[in-house]
Amino acid sequence: MVAHAAAIDAALADSARRAANSFARVSAWFAERRAAREAYRELQSLSDRELADLGISRADIRAVVNGTYQRPI
């Protein structure tokens, strides 16, 4: 009976750990999305001249925020 209770306790602990890990991943995803939205808004608020000073155009903003921007050679 004690072994059965220990197995149940271990299963419950594993389930709780998995739930906590899932929550942490979802929280991290939301934080990343929030940071991306803020970066997008900030870049959109710049003038075309300011964007040019940074070496990007308005059309490049989404790629910059997504991390897929590649500078032209």
Side-chain angles (χ1 to χ4, degrees), residues 26-63:
V26 169
S27 295
W29 181 84
F30 275 109
E32 289 171 13
R33 294 308 311 148
R34 183 176 44 251
R37 281 192 310 274
E38 289 173 7
Y40 181 82
R41 278 194 297 265
E42 186 172 336
L43 288 171
Q44 282 287 29
S45 73
L46 298 176
S47 69
D48 289 339
R49 172 65 187 186
E50 291 168 320
L51 290 171
D53 287 346
L54 295 174
I56 62 172
S57 70
R58 194 158 302 281
D60 298 327
I61 292 175
R62 187 155 316 269

Side-chain angles (χ1 to χ4, degrees), residues 55-57 60 69-73:
I56 62 172
S57 70
D60 298 327
Y69 178 71
Q70 296 179 0
R71 289 190 183 267
I73 296 175

